[in-house]
C-alpha cells in the first residue's frame, strides 16, 4: 500500500516537475529577489546588502505613495465593479438563454478580444477615444460637435473603460461556469415555493453563482491594480498608478530597494484585501456535494 | 373514454411482489373535484405530448399518473404545477381556472424527482424557504419548521447542511418543504425512483400514512405499476399522451380496459379466442385449451390497434396447479411445466397448455404463480400437470 502510494506520488511529481521548475525559476526566485531587495540599502549607484527597514518607512511616510496606492485601489475597484456588473448579464444570457448547441460558438466569440495583443487593444481604445479619434471625428461629421471632446481620453473614466473591456472575458467565464452548474430544478423549486422570478434569482440563482462572482472579482481586481500599460497609454502618464511608480523607482530613479519596498507593500495590501473579500463571502464558498 | 363501472367487485387481487396491502379508505360522500383538466393539448414544436386529457381528481385523493417514460405523465404534472404552458384546454384547481396563473401563486407544491434541495441552505432554511412572506413571527416560523421536520421523521436535523444528507433524507426534506405551506395539492414527480428497494417500500407506506394524516390531495407520477397499485386511490394509466384507463387499483388490475393496459400492469396471460355468441350480460367464446366459456360483460375489454384478433386473458394467480389427486374447484386443463422460477415466497410456473395450438399451430405458454406453502412439493420442469381455472377470472379482449 505504502509503496503504491509512493509510486503514485512519484509519478505525480514527475508530471508536475516541468511547470514547477518553471514557476520556481520565473516566479518564486524573482519574487524572493524583490523581497530581499526591499530590505537592502540604496547607495546611489550600488545596492548595499545590509538589512534595513528604512525603505518601508520611506514608502509609508510618503504621501504620494499613499495617494497613488489609494487611486490604484479605487481604479481597480471601479474596473472590477464595472466588469463584473457587465459580465453577469452576459454570463446569465449565455447560460440560460443560448441553446446548448450554440454555446461553444458564443464562448468562442467572447474570447475573440484575446486574439490580438493586449497592447494593441489598449492602443485601439486610444484610436477610438483620441482627439482626432473615431468618436470625435464621427460626432464632428454628424455635426453634433464643432470642437473635439477633450474629456474622452487621459482620465480615470477612460482607464476604467479600457480595463473593463480587456478583462471582460475573465469575468464572464467563471460566472458562466458557476451558473451552468446550477440545477435548473432548483429554480423551479423556488418558483414552486411561492417566489417570483426576481426573488428566485435573488434567493437561489445569485447565492449559487457567488463562487463564480468571487472568482471573477479576484481575477479582475488583482491584475488591474498592478496594470502598467493602460495608465501610461490611456491615462497619458498623467494619472500614474502604483505600477508606474514602481517602474519609475526601479528604472528612471534607479532606486531598486525603494521600488521593491513599494512593490512588496502594494502586494501586501492586495493580499490583505483579497483575503478580507474571501472571508466576507465564505458562506457562499462552502464545499458542495 | 369510458370508465368501466365497478359493478361486480372482484376480490382484491394482490399486486405482484411483497408490497404492503392497501386498505381502501372508508367511503365518504362524493368529494368535490380538486383538479379538473378539460381537453388538454400540449405540443412541443411538432411533438404532440398531451393529446386531449380529460381528468377529474377529487379532493383528498391519492391519485397516480402511471405510464412508461415519454407517455406525457410528467408533462401533465408540470402543467398542473404551472411549469408548462398548455397549447389548448383548461386546467382548474379548486374551481379556479389556472390560465395566466403562474406557478408561484398556484395552490400546489411539488416534490421534484431530483428533490431540488437548495445546496446553499441548511435543512431548516430549506424547509422554511416558502415562509418568507408568512406574517408569523420568527419564533413561530421556526416552530412550524420543526413541526414539519417532525412530520417526516427528521426532528433535530434543522441545523444540518443540505448537501450532507442521504437520498432518503433529502426526499423527506423536500416533502416537509412542500407540506409546510399547506398546499391544496401536493405534486410528486417520481419521488421514490432514486431510492433503493427497501427504502422505497418503506417510503411508500410512510407517504400513504402522511397523506391520510394531512388530508391533502396527492398527485403522484410514476412508471412503477407496483408503486401506483400500492399507494393510490385511483390511477390514470397513460400511453402516448392519452389516458388509456382511469380506475381504482383493483379494477385496473382485475379488469384492464385494453391489452396494452393489461400488459403494462402486472403479468397477463393471453390465449387466442373466437367469439361464438353474445348476450346483454355475457359473451360466449371458444378458446383452444379452455373450451367454450361465458365471459361476464364486465370482464370484456378492447384490443388495441395491431392486435391479432380477440384473446382471453388471465392473471398468473387466477389459475392453480393441482397436485396429484387434488380435486378441482373450477375447470381443468392439462399441460406440461416448461419452466420453474423460484422467488422464495412464490414460484412462477410456465405451463404449455394442451390444445392451445389449435388456431395458430403454436402451443401457448401461460405463467401461473403459486404461493409456496410449507410441505408442498415444487414440481420439476417437464412434469405433466393439471391447471385449474375459473371462468369468472377471465378477461376477454375483443
Amino acid at each position: 500500500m505504502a509503496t503504491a502510494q509512493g509510486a503514485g506520488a512519484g509519478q505525480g511529481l514527475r508530471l508536475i516537475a516541468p511547470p514547477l521548475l518553471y514557476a520556481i525559476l520565473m516566479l518564486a526566485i524573482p519574487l524572493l529577489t524583490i523581497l530581499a531587495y526591499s530590505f537592502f540599502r540604496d547607495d546611489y549607484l550600488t545596492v548595499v546588502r545590509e538589512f534595513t527597514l528604512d525603505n518601508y518607512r520611506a514608502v509609508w511616510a510618503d504621501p504620494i505613495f499613499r495617494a497613488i496606492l489609494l487611486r490604484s485601489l479605487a481604479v481597480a475597484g471601479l474596473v472590477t465593479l464595472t466588469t463584473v456588473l457587465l459580465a453577469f448579464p452576459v454570463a446569465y444570457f449565455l447560460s440560460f438563454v443560448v441553446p446548448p448547441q450554440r454555446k461553444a460558438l458564443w464562448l468562442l466569440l467572447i474570447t475573440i478580444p484575446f486574439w490580438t495583443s493586449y497592447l494593441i487593444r489598449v492602443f485601439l481604445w486610444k484610436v477610438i477615444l483620441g482627439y482626432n479619434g473615431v468618436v470625435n471625428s464621427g460626432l464632428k461629421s454628424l455635426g453634433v460637435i464643432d470642437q473635439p471632446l477633450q474629456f474622452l481620453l487621459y482620465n480615470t473614466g477612460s482607464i476604467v473603460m479600457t480595463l473593463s473591456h480587456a478583462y471582460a472575458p475573465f469575468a464572464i467565464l467563471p460566472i458562466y461556469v458557476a451558473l451552468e452548474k446550477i440545477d435548473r430544478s432548483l429554480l423551479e423549486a423556488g418558483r414552486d415555493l411561492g417566489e417570483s422570478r426576481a426573488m428566485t434569482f435573488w434567493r437561489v440563482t445569485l447565492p449559487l453563482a457567488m463562487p463564480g462572482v468571487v472568482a471573477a472579482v479576484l481575477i479582475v481586481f488583482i491584475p488591474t491594480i498592478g496594470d502598467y500599460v493602460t495608465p501610461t497609454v490611456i491615462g497619458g502618464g498623467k494619472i500614474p498608478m502604483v505600477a508606474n511608480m514602481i517602474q519609475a523607482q526601479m528604472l528612471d530613479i534607479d532606486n531598486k530597494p525603494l521600488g521593491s519596498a513599494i512593490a512588496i507593500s502594494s502586494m501586501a495590501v492586495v493580499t490583505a484585501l483579497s483575503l478580507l473579500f474571501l472571508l466576507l463571502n465564505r458562506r457562499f464558498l462552502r464545499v458542495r456535494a | 373514454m369510458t370508465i368501466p363501472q365497478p359493478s361486480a367487485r372482484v376480490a382484491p387481487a394482490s399486486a405482484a411482489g411483497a408490497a404492503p396491502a392497501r386498505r381502501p379508505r372508508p367511503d365518504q360522500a362524493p368529494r368535490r373535484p380538486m383538479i379538473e383538466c378539460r381537453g388538454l393539448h400540449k405540443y412541443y414544436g411538432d411533438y404532440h405530448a398531451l393529446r386531449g386529457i380529460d381528468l377529474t381528481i377529487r379532493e383528498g385523493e391519492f391519485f397516480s399518473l402511471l405510464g412508461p417514460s415519454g407517455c406525457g405523465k410528467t408533462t401533465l404534472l408540470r402543467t398542473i404545477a404551472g411549469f408548462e404552458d398548455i397549447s389548448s384546454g383548461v386546467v382548474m384547481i379548486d374551481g379556479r381556472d389556472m390560465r395566466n396563473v403562474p406557478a408561484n401563486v398556484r395552490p400546489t407544491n411539488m416534490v421534484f424527482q431530483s428533490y431540488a434541495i437548495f445546496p446553499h441552505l441548511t435543512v431548516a432554511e430549506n424547509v422554511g424557504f416558502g415562509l418568507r412572506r408568512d406574517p408569523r413571527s420568527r419564533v413561530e416560523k421556526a416552530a412550524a419548521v420543526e413541526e414539519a421536520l417532525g412530520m417526516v421523521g427528521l426532528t433535530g436535523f434543522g441545523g444540518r447542511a443540505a448537501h450532507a444528507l442521504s437520498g432518503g433524507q433529502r426526499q423527506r426534506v423536500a416533502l416537509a418543504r412542500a407540506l409546510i405551506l399547506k398546499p391544496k395539492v401536493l405534486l410528486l414527480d417520481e419521488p421514490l425512483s432514486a431510492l433503493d428497494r427497501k427504502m422505497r417500500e418503506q417510503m411508500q407506506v410512510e407517504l400513504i400514512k402522511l397523506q391520510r394524516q394531512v388530508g391533502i390531495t396527492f398527485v403522484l407520477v410514476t412508471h412503477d405499476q407496483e408503486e401506483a397499485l400500492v399507494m393510490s386511490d385511483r390511477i390514470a394509466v397513460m400511453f402516448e399522451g392519452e389516458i388509456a384507463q382511469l380506475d381504482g387499483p383493483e379494477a385496473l388490475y382485475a379488469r384492464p380496459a385494453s391489452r396494452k393496459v393489461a400488459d403494462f400492469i402486472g403479468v397477463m396471460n393471453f390465449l387466442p379466442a373466437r367469439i361464438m355468441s353474445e348476450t346483454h350480460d355475457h359473451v360466449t367464446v371458444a378458446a383452444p385449451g379452455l373450451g367454450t366459456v361465458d365471459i361476464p360483460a364486465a370482464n370484456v375489454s378492447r384490443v388495441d390497434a395491431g392486435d391479432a384478433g380477440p384473446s382471453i386473458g388471465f392473471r398468473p394467480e387466477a389459475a392453480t396447479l393441482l397436485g396429484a389427486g387434488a380435486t378441482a374447484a373450477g375447470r381443468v386443463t392439462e399441460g406440461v411445466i416448461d419452466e420453474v422460477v423460484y422467488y422464495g415466497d412464490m414460484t412462477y410456473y410456465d405451463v404449455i397448455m394442451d390444445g392451445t395450438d389449435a388456431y395458430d399451430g403454436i402451443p401457448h405458454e401461460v405463467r401461473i404463480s403459486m404461493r409456496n406453502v410449507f410441505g408442498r412439493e415444487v414440481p420439476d420442469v417437464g412434469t405433466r400437470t393439471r391447471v385449474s381455472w375459473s371462468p369468472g377470472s377471465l378477461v376477454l379482449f375483443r
Side-chain angles (χ1 to χ4, degrees):
Chain A
M1 194 66 199
T3 52
Q5 264 177 354
Q11 195 183 21
L13 209 59
R14 274 197 299 281
L15 272 171
I16 63 157
L20 187 66
L21 203 66
Y22 188 81
I24 289 171
L25 279 175
M26 308 306 280
L27 191 73
I29 290 176
L31 257 177
L32 288 171
T33 312
I34 296 286
L35 186 68
Y37 262 74
S38 72
F39 292 111
F40 293 158
R41 190 160 59 79
D42 184 59
D43 193 18
Y44 191 46
L45 284 176
T46 56
V47 171
V48 181
R49 302 187 176 206
E50 57 188 44
F51 182 81
T52 174
L53 290 171
D54 286 351
N55 297 316
Y56 285 100
R57 287 192 196 102
V59 167
W60 285 98
D62 182 3
I64 296 174
F65 166 74
R66 290 201 300 259
I68 288 183
L69 184 65
L70 275 180
R71 174 195 290 153
S72 303
L73 290 173
V75 168
L78 211 57
V79 169
T80 307
L81 192 72
T82 316
T83 311
V84 172
L85 282 183
L86 291 177
F88 199 98
V90 177
Y92 189 90
F93 172 81
L94 202 58
S95 180
F96 284 87
V97 181
V98 175
Q101 64 272 23
R102 293 269 176 78
K103 282 185 179 174
L105 178 70
W106 274 88
L107 286 171
L108 188 77
L109 290 175
I110 281 168
T111 57
I112 277 185
F114 288 135
W115 296 10
T116 53
S117 129
Y118 173 55
L119 202 60
I120 290 172
R121 271 179 286 148
V122 172
F123 267 109
L124 282 173
W125 274 103
K126 199 170 182 172
V127 170
I128 293 168
L129 299 172
Y131 190 78
N132 285 316
V134 176
V135 174
N136 274 329
S137 48
L139 288 175
K140 237 159 70 178
S141 68
L142 285 171
V144 180
I145 51 170
D146 308 327
Q147 292 297 310
L149 300 171
Q150 303 262 10
F151 62 81
L152 291 179
L153 206 53
Y154 306 131
N155 56 30
T156 313
S158 52
I159 293 179
V160 170
M161 199 187 298
T162 306
L163 285 174
S164 301
H165 172 248
Y167 282 92
F170 289 117
I172 293 170
L173 294 177
I175 297 172
Y176 166 75
V177 169
L179 289 171
E180 278 290 283
K181 279 202 292 192
I182 298 175
D183 180 356
R184 297 307 191 250
S185 67
L186 293 175
L187 309 183
E188 289 190 339
R191 303 263 293 139
D192 188 66
L193 295 168
E195 294 294 15
S196 61
R197 281 179 204 283
M199 278 309 290
T200 300
F201 174 83
W202 179 248
R203 294 185 70 191
V204 182
T205 314
L206 193 58
L208 291 174
M210 276 313 280
V213 173
V214 168
V217 164
L218 295 180
I219 288 173
V220 176
F221 183 74
I222 294 172
T224 49
I225 201 167
D227 194 84
Y228 164 75
V229 176
T230 301
T232 309
V233 176
I234 299 290
K238 287 190 275 182
I239 315 157
M241 290 191 12
V242 78
N244 306 87
M245 198 182 178
I246 296 167
Q247 184 258 354
Q249 285 297 336
M250 288 289 209
L251 302 176
D252 302 346
I253 305 170
D254 196 24
N255 188 341
K256 288 196 175 65
L258 197 63
S260 301
I262 297 172
I264 296 293
S265 298
S266 59
M267 271 173 66
V269 169
V270 172
T271 307
L273 283 176
S274 302
L275 288 177
L276 183 71
F277 182 72
L278 284 175
L279 197 69
L280 287 175
N281 285 291
R282 68 189 180 283
R283 71 192 182 94
F284 297 118
L285 304 174
R286 279 185 308 217
V287 190
R288 277 193 269 144
Chain B
M1 68 147 272
T2 56
I3 299 164
Q5 290 305 308
S7 46
R9 275 203 170 255
V10 176
S14 71
R22 186 187 150 279
R23 263 172 301 159
R25 56 175 71 240
D27 255 7
Q28 298 163 1
R31 280 164 292 174
R32 67 198 177 98
M34 178 54 77
I35 299 173
E36 288 168 273
C37 300
R38 295 286 165 259
L40 219 55
H41 286 268
K42 169 75 185 172
Y43 289 88
Y44 292 105
D46 288 340
Y47 181 65
H48 200 170
L50 295 179
R51 307 179 179 199
I53 301 289
D54 284 294
L55 179 66
T56 303
I57 299 172
R58 298 188 210 110
E59 186 182 14
E61 196 169 30
F62 200 130
F63 194 93
S64 290
L65 299 169
L66 172 67
S69 56
C71 73
K73 57 191 191 295
T74 296
T75 304
L76 180 55
L77 192 81
R78 291 172 56 80
T79 299
I80 296 169
F83 293 126
E84 304 280 348
D85 296 325
I86 44 179
S87 307
S88 68
V90 183
V91 176
M92 310 253 282
I93 300 177
D94 201 20
R96 196 171 149 218
D97 192 342
M98 287 291 121
R99 192 179 328 213
N100 301 325
V101 178
N104 51 326
V105 286
R106 291 197 182 192
T108 58
N109 282 111
M110 186 132 153
V111 174
F112 291 84
Q113 188 170 13
S114 62
Y115 310 143
I117 303 298
F118 301 117
H120 58 300
L121 302 177
T122 64
V123 168
E125 285 168 335
N126 262 285
V127 174
F129 189 91
L131 296 179
R132 185 176 64 86
R133 275 177 305 192
D134 193 306
R136 284 180 287 178
S137 72
R138 254 184 127 81
V139 178
E140 287 171 313
K141 285 187 200 178
V145 167
E146 202 48 46
E147 191 197 329
L149 283 173
M151 200 157 66
V152 295
L154 285 181
T155 310
F157 276 69
R160 297 238 187 145
H163 58 74
L165 298 176
S166 72
Q169 288 168 341
R170 274 160 191 267
Q171 206 221 3
R172 288 157 194 266
V173 172
L175 266 172
R177 186 176 71 176
L179 287 174
I180 198 172
L181 301 175
K182 304 203 162 40
K184 286 178 177 157
V185 180
L186 184 73
L187 306 169
L188 302 114
D189 186 7
E190 306 246 7
L192 307 177
S193 60
L195 304 178
D196 62 54
R197 194 189 166 86
K198 261 258 161 24
M199 191 73 204
R200 195 159 64 227
E201 285 173 2
Q202 189 191 332
M203 279 310 293
Q204 285 174 358
V205 180
E206 281 190 36
L207 273 176
I208 299 169
K209 284 184 177 161
L210 196 62
Q211 197 260 346
R212 291 218 182 105
Q213 185 191 330
V214 296
I216 292 172
T217 310
F218 276 34
V219 182
L220 172 84
V221 157
T222 180
H223 63 270
D224 183 339
Q225 44 98 11
E226 188 181 309
E227 191 172 296
L229 291 175
V230 168
M231 294 167 73
S232 323
D233 295 318
R234 287 196 305 154
I235 300 165
V237 182
M238 290 182 69
F239 295 115
E240 287 156 13
E242 285 175 303
I243 294 177
Q245 188 173 1
L246 196 162
D247 238 324
E250 293 92 352
L252 205 59
Y253 188 78
R255 288 182 306 281
S258 71
R259 269 192 80 144
K260 223 168 161 183
V261 175
D263 251 351
F264 190 74
I265 294 174
V267 178
M268 181 71 95
N269 295 304
F270 293 104
L271 292 170
R274 273 175 198 170
I275 295 169
M276 310 303 287
S277 67
E278 212 173 326
T279 67
H280 68 281
D281 65 346
H282 70 269
V283 181
T284 306
V285 296
L290 300 179
T292 306
V293 201
D294 290 344
I295 308 282
N299 286 10
V300 177
S301 298
R302 60 188 166 82
V303 291
D304 296 299
D307 283 348
S311 53
I312 285 287
F314 64 93
R315 296 290 186 189
E317 64 280 0
T320 314
L321 284 192
L322 292 177
T327 48
R331 288 163 67 169
V332 171
T333 302
E334 289 199 16
V336 179
I337 296 176
D338 189 44
E339 191 63 79
V340 177
V341 186
Y342 181 73
Y343 271 91
D345 58 337
M346 309 274 286
T347 305
Y348 283 121
Y349 301 91
D350 289 340
V351 180
I352 300 171
M353 306 263 273
D354 288 355
T356 51
D357 56 350
Y359 285 167
D360 45 13
I362 308 162
H364 288 262
E365 202 169 76
V366 295
R367 171 158 283 198
I368 291 162
S369 70
M370 296 285 286
R371 191 151 287 281
N372 289 330
V373 180
F374 183 74
R376 187 198 287 156
E377 202 181 325
V378 174
D380 278 336
V381 172
T383 318
R384 274 203 76 77
T385 185
R386 291 182 300 149
V387 176
S388 159
W389 51 275
S390 77
S393 63
L394 303 184
V395 180
L396 171 65
F397 297 90
R398 58 179 299 185

